[in-house]
């Protein structure tokens, strides 16, 4: 039995209990249902969807997942096979098949629920065969909703990243969360720091660097490219408010960079910090009433917090580590990357930590390798990050509520920045 420790704190103003993400969040997993995933045949497209679905279900953590790549039988048409799975205490069977017409691919999920002898068949279609991961992601989302588990819809979202191609060349690429599907959106130039402009992922901001740094907004559906603002030095959109009307930017019109607030409807720019050194990477916090950012005010990069007002008081938020240069926020929480010495080798590594603006405790999230650029998921329960270990690069996913991590190897990709 896997034992996980679960702690709660009482929310102010009511008697609801909420999960404190800085504590080691774990829970009993004996009661999650068992699911057997099978494929109808060994067709390449069927097996791609099948394997991706198995992976999705494992990442979700809401099923005990059983699978066998050698199974090629249409089990739901075989009563003896059904009884055999019932005897093995399976709660569900998920059978995968597909059909293809031209470039269009349709994945078919047939679910058998032993608890009520119910059989459900659903189809999911994508207009490109290469988009098969999103078929599996949609199936996993349905299965998760079927058992009324905690929302996991972030697996359906696009990741957007800038990929290094060579000297002064970066492309902007979209992918699924496993980086299996990839499509280049912008190329030809030094295109960096992509950031989704809204929750629907219809537009994104990015920086084009020529003689100066210029922020643009790109429309995914009509290809419209709108100039937002330029700076002789740095110009980066580091965060976007939930309604998309406010941007936190790192700009350096004169000297080194400061944090600026940009209002998209009025195009008004307000300077929030005014420091002789470097202030960058600002992210909204606490219902967008404040923001966390990285500054070298202590002589090294560290994380600070300030109210969303010009030149308001600045408070140190992180008291651990001597090089805390990348961060992401969700509500009152900050996840950041900290340089420290490896306990075994003595070499410098970067590990991830989670802190809250309501306490000084830091929860360590990683132990091995160099872990950088953490990003919260849209629901705050998962963290994506870049990991390098022994010369190999991977994308990592940390699932806070189930206290598990997953790695997806990156092949022939050099990621400069990403958002999801």
């Amino acid at each position: 039995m896997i034992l996980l420790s679960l702690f709660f704190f009482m929310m102010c103003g009511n008697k609801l209990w909420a999960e404190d993400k800085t504590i080691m969040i774990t829970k009993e997993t004996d009661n999650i249902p068992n699911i057997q995933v099978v494929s109808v045949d060994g067709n390449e497209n069927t097996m791609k969807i099948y394997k991706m679905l198995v992976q999705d279900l494992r990442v979700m953590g809401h099923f005990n997942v059983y699978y066998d790549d050698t199974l090629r039988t249409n089990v739901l048409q075989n009563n003896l096979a059904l009884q055999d799975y019932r005897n093995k205490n399976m709660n569900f069977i998920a059978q995968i098949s597909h059909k293809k017409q031209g470039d269009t691919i349709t994945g078919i999920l047939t679910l058998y629920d032993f608890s009520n002898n119910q059989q459900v068949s659903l189809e999911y279609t994508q207009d490109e065969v290469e988009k098969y991961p999103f078929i599996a992601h949609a199936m996993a989302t349905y299965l998760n909703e079927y058992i009324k588990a905690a929302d996991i819809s972030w697996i359906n979202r696009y990741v957007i990243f800038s990929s290094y191609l060579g000297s002064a060349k970066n492309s902007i690429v979209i992918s699924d969360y496993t980086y299996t599907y990839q499509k280049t959106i912008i190329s030809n130039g030094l295109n960096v720091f992509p950031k989704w402009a809204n929750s629907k992922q219809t537009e994104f901001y990015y920086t084009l660097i020529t003689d100066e740094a210029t922020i643009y907004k790109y429309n995914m559906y009509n290809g419209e490219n709108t100039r937002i603002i330029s700076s002789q030095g740095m110009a980066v959109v580091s965060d976007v408010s939930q309604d998309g009307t406010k941007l936190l930017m790192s700009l350096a019109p004169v000297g080194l960079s400061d944090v600026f607030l940009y209002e998209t409807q009025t195009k008004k720019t307000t300077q929030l910090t005014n420091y002789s050194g470097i202030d960058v990477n600002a992210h909204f916090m606490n219902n967008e009433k404040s923001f966390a950012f990285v500054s070298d005010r202590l002589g090294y990069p560290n994380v600070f917090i300030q109210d969303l007002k010009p030149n308001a008081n600045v408070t140190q938020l992180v008291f651990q580590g001597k090089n805390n240069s990348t961060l992401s926020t969700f509500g009152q929480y900050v996840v950041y990357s900290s340089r420290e010495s490896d306990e075994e080798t003595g070499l410098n590594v970067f590990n991830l930590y989670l802190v809250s603006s309501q306490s000084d405790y830091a929860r360590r999230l990683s132990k091995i390798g160099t872990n950088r650029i953490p990003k919260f998921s849209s629901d705050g329960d998962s963290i994506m990050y870049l990991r390098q270990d022994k010369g190999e690069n991977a994308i990592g996913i940390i699932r806070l509520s189930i206290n598990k991590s997953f790695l997806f190897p990156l092949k022939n990709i050099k990621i400069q920045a990403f958002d999801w």
Side-chain angles (χ1 to χ4, degrees):
M1 179 176 66
I2 302 174
L3 277 185
L4 310 164
S5 35
L6 181 64
F7 293 85
F8 295 93
F9 66 88
M10 184 169 284
M11 296 175 62
C12 296
N14 57 37
K15 295 185 179 180
L16 297 177
W17 292 87
E19 194 176 88
D20 185 346
K21 298 179 187 296
T22 61
I23 304 299
M24 185 68 71
I25 306 296
T26 48
K27 51 193 173 186
E28 299 286 349
T29 59
D30 286 350
N31 294 325
I32 65 175
N34 300 324
I35 188 168
Q36 177 79 46
V37 185
V38 298
S39 60
V40 168
D41 54 55
N43 180 276
E44 180 182 4
N45 290 323
T46 298
M47 295 307 296
K48 285 180 176 179
I49 297 171
Y50 163 85
K51 291 178 180 179
M52 186 63 69
L53 176 61
V54 168
Q55 182 172 267
D56 285 347
L57 293 174
R58 294 177 65 193
V59 171
M60 286 182 350
H62 298 153
F63 291 91
N64 291 316
V65 186
Y66 297 83
Y67 60 98
D68 184 347
D69 287 348
T70 65
L71 287 175
R72 302 288 184 270
T73 57
N74 192 356
V75 298
L76 296 189
Q77 306 303 318
N78 187 322
N79 289 330
L80 290 177
L82 284 175
Q83 186 58 46
D84 184 49
Y85 283 119
R86 189 192 297 270
N87 293 340
K88 293 178 180 178
N89 295 318
M90 290 297 155
N91 302 105
F92 302 99
I93 296 176
Q95 178 182 271
I96 308 304
S97 59
H98 93 284
K99 56 187 178 182
K100 182 177 175 294
Q101 185 173 6
D103 292 332
T104 300
I105 183 171
T106 298
I108 304 167
L109 168 66
T110 304
L111 175 66
Y112 194 88
D113 179 354
F114 283 123
S115 65
N116 57 19
N117 288 329
Q118 179 174 316
Q119 181 176 321
V120 181
S121 187
L122 299 163
E123 296 187 357
Y124 302 88
T125 300
Q126 289 287 342
D127 57 2
E128 300 175 31
V129 174
E130 292 78 10
K131 287 185 176 179
Y132 75 87
F134 289 102
I135 290 176
H137 303 338
M139 291 178 176
T141 301
Y142 170 78
L143 293 171
N144 190 68
E145 293 173 347
Y146 188 88
I147 63 170
K148 297 180 173 58
D151 181 76
I152 198 74
S153 57
W154 58 260
I155 68 172
N156 299 296
R157 292 177 60 82
Y158 284 113
V159 177
I160 189 166
F161 64 93
S162 57
S163 177
Y164 177 77
L165 303 177
S167 178
K169 291 183 180 179
N170 282 62
S171 60
I172 303 294
V173 184
I174 59 171
S175 72
D176 74 307
Y177 84 95
T178 69
Y179 289 68
T180 302
Y181 169 78
Q182 295 182 27
K183 182 177 181 179
T184 298
I185 304 299
I186 295 176
S187 58
N188 300 323
L190 188 52
N191 309 286
V192 291
F193 303 115
K195 186 72 179 177
W196 289 114
N198 54 50
S199 61
K200 295 181 180 180
Q201 299 188 317
T202 59
E203 297 177 307
F204 63 87
Y205 298 100
Y206 72 101
T207 302
L208 173 63
I209 300 177
T210 53
D211 293 335
E212 60 182 2
T214 302
I215 295 171
Y216 286 90
K217 182 170 70 172
Y218 183 87
N219 188 297
M220 291 278 291
Y221 293 92
N222 61 23
E224 182 179 357
N225 212 22
T226 305
R227 178 188 174 279
I228 303 300
I229 196 170
S230 296
S231 174
Q232 291 297 322
M234 176 180 286
V236 177
V237 174
S238 55
D239 204 8
V240 179
S241 64
Q242 287 193 349
D243 63 5
T245 64
K246 296 182 179 65
L247 312 179
L248 288 175
M249 295 180 172
S250 299
L251 299 176
V254 178
L256 300 177
S257 60
D258 279 297
V259 176
F260 290 75
L261 177 68
Y262 181 87
E263 299 177 54
T264 61
Q265 295 177 339
T266 63
K267 299 183 180 180
K268 177 183 177 183
T269 304
T270 304
Q271 186 169 350
L272 298 177
T273 67
N274 188 1
Y275 168 60
S276 59
I278 298 174
D279 289 345
V280 292
N281 202 16
H283 285 70
F284 291 106
M285 285 194 71
N286 301 321
N287 296 318
E288 300 176 3
K289 295 179 181 178
S290 59
F291 63 96
F293 65 104
V294 174
S295 177
D296 65 353
R297 293 161 191 256
L298 300 179
Y300 59 88
N302 201 15
V303 181
F304 298 83
I305 188 171
Q306 176 182 320
D307 287 344
L308 200 67
K309 300 175 183 178
N311 301 315
N313 289 335
V314 173
T315 303
Q316 184 177 347
L317 185 60
V318 170
F319 297 88
Q320 177 273 336
K322 291 293 184 180
N323 189 329
N324 308 315
S325 57
T326 59
L327 65 87
S328 179
T329 61
F330 183 85
Q332 70 186 47
Y333 297 100
V334 176
V335 58
Y336 65 95
S337 178
S338 178
R339 188 179 70 185
E340 52 195 25
S341 295
D342 183 83
E343 295 176 358
E344 295 183 1
T345 65
L347 298 175
N348 285 332
V349 295
F350 283 83
N351 279 309
L352 302 182
Y353 288 84
L354 182 67
V355 297
S356 166
S357 62
Q358 309 301 314
S359 71
D360 295 332
Y361 176 75
R363 172 184 170 187
R364 185 173 175 174
L365 301 177
S366 64
K367 295 181 179 180
I368 300 173
T370 296
N371 307 280
R372 305 292 301 274
I373 320 181
K375 299 284 184 180
F376 275 108
S377 60
S378 56
D379 63 359
D381 189 48
S382 300
I383 295 168
M384 181 180 289
Y385 64 100
L386 289 178
R387 177 179 173 182
Q388 185 177 43
D389 185 39
K390 299 178 181 178
E392 297 183 352
N393 296 317
I395 281 292
I397 298 285
I398 298 172
R399 298 277 288 112
L400 295 174
S401 61
I402 63 173
N403 193 34
K404 290 185 178 181
S405 298
F406 303 86
L407 291 176
F408 305 97
L410 293 174
K411 298 180 180 179
N412 303 318
I413 308 174
K414 294 183 179 180
I415 295 177
Q416 171 267 337
F418 69 89
D419 191 31
W420 68 329

